[in-house]
Amino acid sequence: MQLVIVESPAKAKTIEKYLGSDFKVLASYGHVRDLPPKDGSVRPDEDFAMDWELYREKQSRFKEIADAAKNASRLVLATDPDREGEAISWHVQELLKKRKALPTKVDRVTFNAITKPAVTEAMGKPRELDQPLIDAYLGRRALDYLFGFTLSPVLWRKLPGAKSAGRVQSVALRLIVDREREIEAFRPDEYWSVLAKLEHDGTQFDARLVRYKGDKLEKLSLGEQGIAMEAKAAVEAGRFTVEDVEKKPLKRNPAPPFTTSTMQQEAARKLGFSASHTMRLAQSLYEAGAITYMRTDGVQMDGSAIAACRQAISERFEASYCPEKPRFYSTKAKNAQEAHEAIRPTDFSRDRAGTGDEAKLYALIWKRAMASQMSTAQLERTTVTLRDATGQHELRATGQVVVFPGYFAVYQEGFDDQDEDEDGLLPLLKNGDVPAKNAVEATQHFTQPPPRFSEASLVKRLEELGIGRPSTYASTIQTLRDRDYVRMEKNRFFAEESGRLLTAFLERFFPTYVAYDFTAGMEDELDTVSDGREDYKKLLARFWADFKPKADEVMEKLPSEVTEVLDDYLSDYLFPPRDDGKDARMCPLCEQEGRANGRLSLRGGKFGAFIACHNYPECKYTRRFAQPGADGADPAEEGVMGQHPETGADIHRKSGRFGPYIEMEEDGTKKRASIPKDLDDFDLDWAVKLLDLPRIIGAHPETGKEIEAAIGRYGPYLRHDGKYAKLSNTREVFETGMNAAVALLAEAANRKGGGRGAKAEPIKTLGEHPTSGGEIKVMPGRYGPYVTDGTTNATIPKDVKPEEIEAAQAIELIDARAAKGPAKKKGRKKAAPKKKAAPKKKAAAKG
């Protein structure tokens, strides 16, 4: 019997069918062991010796592998064809060797697609494990461990509220924070444009003023309203004649098939998928045999795949859509050993695969790969120049038409934050024509700050800088979100105060290790290891020689010293100049109450950094770290905002330890409400609304009981008969009507399984489990949706929609949960045994 090890159970079942009865295929379920999360797992003083620990949940799974290996004549390590796959194979081999269960013959095989031809061909071309690639994995894993386990304790002790730091994660965070700083420093410039609405032969079109009084107009030339109105009047008064019609042919060539990075970017732009969701879907498609391996830097397709693609094009389109010669793309990957084939369909005749989000991603991959071998798109751009009788003023109209669509018939690449081209159709114009002038518009504009990063643009920037590797971007981004260093709003990253403070700390105390060129350079060095040109332990030694003394130096500092340095480093952000010219650090409360020397500075506390007054405890003024200072007249400071319209009571705005809030005294009782972050236009009206909460929407049409909207500890919500539903934002608390409220409450009840005692209906049924025979169902649960075969329940990951989960994915989740064994029941702790009373000392015998 020959034992084959792959990574996933879905892949194992498929491959076992391909190989026949002499083969037994088992899944490792990904990595089987890792460095224990404790000090000493990597020991620099012992030539960077590394301790490995078998995952607890993998013990029974690996016992099955070890038992099978003892009876096998040959071990075939067939894990994924990348650095991580090579590492998993190495770990399996080392563990079997340790348990004296390693067969005499051990081979490594890789295949780029789970199809019978690909698998059988790979089995005929075995090789040994790639030691340089394993060394690169060991180097990267040790680097990440040493960075995290050395730096994180420094953060916990010196920077309140910080959770962790990572070698790539911290640099990705700095990119987001740097963009936030650029946006804050940006000062918009006003400019105007003048547009003439023209018409010729019944076709309307726009022409922009590009020359005024003989001068060519740049973007900011019309910088204020007065000159813009003069220019508008000149266009209105002028008679504009066509002076020139220029037609230029344009060619657009298709983009190469997807790499991991470009797939993540396009899925984010076109489908709105997160990087982690995209990779999960791609993994499922790969394991189903629909696409080739999805972790790759390569852009080239195999020769047979190119031929199949061209055949599919010829069958679907006219001959002109398939170029005479195949297209070949060159990879930009720095490491040839990791530059595999691009992501493509395994069968080009199949334009659909999977359902739900899987089907959407497959369609994107299929279209991109098909388009990469199609003909160039032929376009024609027309530019029409019109001048008035004086020759001093000039209008320009542009239009673009597609002469031959070529690959446009299948796919067009998306881009981030690009300006729209003027691609409208123009009428047929010739020199001497005088189009009718319907209107002239002068429009005010302001220059815009650089856009915040989306997942697509962040991944693109990381790749451009050479930071990390595409296969790690999804987990890196997810870590930033899990640590609450960033948040997502409208698919854009915003730096949270904790992320901003952490970045400032690292920039000030560990500047080298969050420098873009250092991190990119480290990736280059790891690539030289995987090429076999450098010893990974020498790389680690150079890193450790600089990093460890720096970490020790910072660890010796007092927390107050660290805070003082950050107070100075962040001074411009925390204490910007006041409009009234007074000291930006002046405490507004001390100023109001006549106390001297009331100055503000950064402080550290149990719950993170905040701003406080030096006169504490006499002055208890505080504000959160992320609320830069303001003038004494700014309404953000403590003071009376106005009076409640019904009670006449004063409404005070105050700053507390956990942010700004409002307070009103009513019948001897103080009523308070926090000021939500999502209210940019907060004023007295909003204050009254918040203090009057909860808001009664009305009686539920079925129960007759009231539905109320309010804001609680976890945000805005609806409440009815002891049941709750979340609202998206503060405004919805005051805008949600009865119909919407009833629908939201019903949806929330369905997600929770209909409440206690109610029998929940399955969201979806997926057929019979291949092992247990039980019916697979997708169910709503009290703690979130899950899949079950009637025996084992497995939680569905948060970023997977329960309605779109497929049978293969459900089986994998159930099998993985079953492998962990039954959940331990939580019972009462046994009482500690009572200590026996100490025996009384005997009286000393009298002598």
Side-chain angles (χ1 to χ4, degrees), residues 204-207 245-250 252 379-385 396-403 421-427 429:
Q204 297 182 355
F205 63 101
D206 295 340
V245 178
E246 182 183 29
K247 292 186 177 181
K248 280 187 177 180
L250 290 176
R252 296 271 178 87
L379 302 95
E380 184 179 78
R381 178 174 286 276
T382 303
T383 303
V384 178
T385 302
R396 183 174 298 157
T398 58
Q400 182 171 286
V401 294
V402 177
V403 178
D421 289 328
E422 296 178 47
D423 291 338
L425 288 172
L426 294 177
L429 292 162

Side-chain angles (χ1 to χ4, degrees), residues 472-531:
T472 66
Y473 292 154
S475 58
T476 298
I477 291 170
Q478 191 59 48
T479 300
L480 293 178
R481 298 177 70 174
D482 292 344
R483 298 282 188 269
D484 293 324
Y485 291 148
V486 300
R487 71 181 188 277
M488 291 289 281
E489 289 183 13
K490 296 180 180 178
N491 294 322
R492 297 283 173 170
F493 285 106
F494 287 72
E496 293 283 20
E497 59 186 77
S498 56
R500 186 151 192 163
L501 187 63
L502 172 59
T503 298
F505 174 84
L506 295 174
E507 286 176 326
R508 181 59 185 83
F509 293 102
F510 295 91
T512 300
Y513 305 100
V514 287
Y516 302 138
D517 55 353
F518 171 83
T519 310
M522 189 64 71
E523 293 296 342
D524 290 342
E525 289 193 66
L526 287 165
D527 284 344
T528 63
V529 172
S530 62
D531 282 346

Side-chain angles (χ1 to χ4, degrees), residues 137-404:
Y137 159 79
L138 294 173
R140 176 175 271 102
R141 191 67 195 89
L143 271 174
D144 290 340
Y145 173 91
L146 291 171
F147 190 96
F149 271 83
T150 305
L151 190 52
S152 292
V154 177
L155 294 176
W156 301 334
R157 296 178 193 178
K158 309 302 177 186
L159 193 68
K163 297 175 182 177
S164 71
R167 186 177 59 88
V168 176
Q169 158 201 329
S170 298
V171 182
L173 175 60
R174 184 187 168 191
L175 275 172
I176 296 170
V177 171
D178 278 352
R179 181 57 55 89
E180 200 77 31
R181 291 167 178 160
E182 289 177 45
I183 292 169
E184 289 167 358
F186 179 81
R187 296 294 175 264
D189 288 318
E190 179 186 9
Y191 68 97
W192 291 71
S193 63
V194 175
L195 198 70
K197 299 285 186 178
L198 306 179
E199 184 175 341
H200 185 73
D201 289 342
T203 301
Q204 297 182 355
F205 63 101
D206 295 340
R208 188 178 301 275
L209 181 65
V210 295
R211 189 176 294 275
Y212 175 58
K213 292 184 178 179
D215 295 326
K216 182 181 178 182
L217 294 181
E218 303 295 341
K219 184 175 183 178
L220 302 179
S221 294
L222 304 179
E224 49 91 18
Q225 186 175 14
I227 190 172
M229 291 302 117
E230 289 177 11
K232 177 187 175 185
V235 174
E236 288 173 331
R239 183 176 185 272
F240 285 83
T241 304
V242 174
E243 294 286 337
D244 184 48
V245 178
E246 182 183 29
K247 292 186 177 181
K248 280 187 177 180
L250 290 176
K251 293 183 179 181
R252 296 271 178 87
N253 290 316
F258 281 136
T259 63
T260 303
S261 170
T262 54
M263 179 181 68
Q264 291 175 0
Q265 292 172 48
E266 280 289 81
R269 294 185 193 110
K270 292 184 181 291
L271 305 176
F273 293 168
S274 68
S276 57
H277 186 50
T278 297
M279 294 307 291
R280 188 173 289 107
L281 296 171
Q283 178 82 36
S284 181
L285 288 168
Y286 167 64
E287 290 176 359
I291 64 171
T292 54
Y293 192 57
M294 67 288 163
R295 291 188 177 90
T296 174
D297 293 330
V299 293
Q300 184 57 279
M301 293 197 296
D302 179 75
S304 61
I306 292 175
C309 181
R310 288 171 60 83
Q311 177 65 30
I313 294 167
S314 300
E315 291 173 357
R316 289 171 182 269
F317 299 94
E318 296 175 2
S320 56
Y321 283 83
C322 189
E324 290 184 11
K325 296 180 180 180
R327 293 184 183 276
F328 295 97
Y329 300 91
S330 59
T331 181
K332 295 179 181 178
K334 296 177 182 177
N335 191 320
Q337 287 183 313
E338 295 183 70
H340 304 296
E341 192 181 359
I343 304 168
R344 61 165 177 85
T346 55
D347 181 359
F348 279 96
S349 66
R350 183 183 181 188
D351 60 1
R352 290 182 178 85
T355 59
D357 285 357
E358 274 185 21
K360 293 176 185 176
L361 183 63
Y362 178 82
L364 199 66
I365 293 168
W366 182 86
K367 289 176 181 177
R368 174 84 168 217
M370 281 281 286
S372 73
Q373 287 298 320
M374 292 179 71
S375 298
T376 299
Q378 307 284 345
L379 302 95
E380 184 179 78
R381 178 174 286 276
T382 303
T383 303
V384 178
T385 302
L386 305 96
R387 294 190 184 92
D388 71 342
T390 67
Q392 294 291 296
H393 312 311
E394 186 177 301
L395 299 175
R396 183 174 298 157
T398 58
Q400 182 171 286
V401 294
V402 177
V403 178
F404 172 67

Side-chain angles (χ1 to χ4, degrees), residues 14-203:
T14 304
I15 292 173
E16 196 164 73
K17 290 177 187 175
Y18 295 157
L19 295 179
S21 58
D22 188 43
F23 289 86
K24 183 177 182 62
V25 185
L26 294 177
S28 70
Y29 286 82
H31 272 284
V32 293
R33 64 178 186 172
D34 196 6
L35 298 169
K38 61 182 181 181
D39 286 338
S41 295
V42 178
R43 299 186 295 283
D45 295 340
E46 298 176 30
D47 197 25
F48 296 95
M50 302 165 75
D51 291 334
W52 301 97
E53 181 179 75
L54 181 66
Y55 289 122
R56 184 174 297 176
E57 65 270 19
K58 297 288 180 72
Q59 289 179 356
S60 60
R61 177 65 55 189
F62 196 79
K63 184 179 184 302
E64 182 185 0
I65 292 174
D67 290 344
K70 289 176 183 176
N71 300 315
S73 59
R74 177 192 181 205
L75 173 67
V76 181
L77 300 166
T79 50
D80 289 346
D82 61 0
R83 180 186 285 150
E84 291 301 309
E86 206 74 17
I88 292 169
S89 287
W90 176 77
H91 279 300
V92 170
Q93 177 178 276
E94 291 299 301
L95 271 170
L96 290 175
K97 192 184 297 181
K98 189 176 180 181
R99 296 191 180 193
K100 295 181 171 48
L102 188 68
T104 306
K105 186 172 178 55
V106 180
D107 287 323
R108 170 79 168 117
V109 302
T110 59
F111 34 81
N112 200 42
I114 305 176
T115 60
K116 190 169 184 178
V119 171
T120 52
E121 182 183 353
M123 294 297 288
K125 298 178 179 178
R127 62 170 172 81
E128 294 183 351
L129 283 172
D130 188 330
Q131 191 59 47
L133 209 56
I134 294 166
D135 287 346
Y137 159 79
L138 294 173
R140 176 175 271 102
R141 191 67 195 89
L143 271 174
D144 290 340
Y145 173 91
L146 291 171
F147 190 96
F149 271 83
T150 305
L151 190 52
S152 292
V154 177
L155 294 176
W156 301 334
R157 296 178 193 178
K158 309 302 177 186
L159 193 68
K163 297 175 182 177
S164 71
R167 186 177 59 88
V168 176
Q169 158 201 329
S170 298
V171 182
L173 175 60
R174 184 187 168 191
L175 275 172
I176 296 170
V177 171
D178 278 352
R179 181 57 55 89
E180 200 77 31
R181 291 167 178 160
E182 289 177 45
I183 292 169
E184 289 167 358
F186 179 81
R187 296 294 175 264
D189 288 318
E190 179 186 9
Y191 68 97
W192 291 71
S193 63
V194 175
L195 198 70
K197 299 285 186 178
L198 306 179
E199 184 175 341
H200 185 73
D201 289 342
T203 301

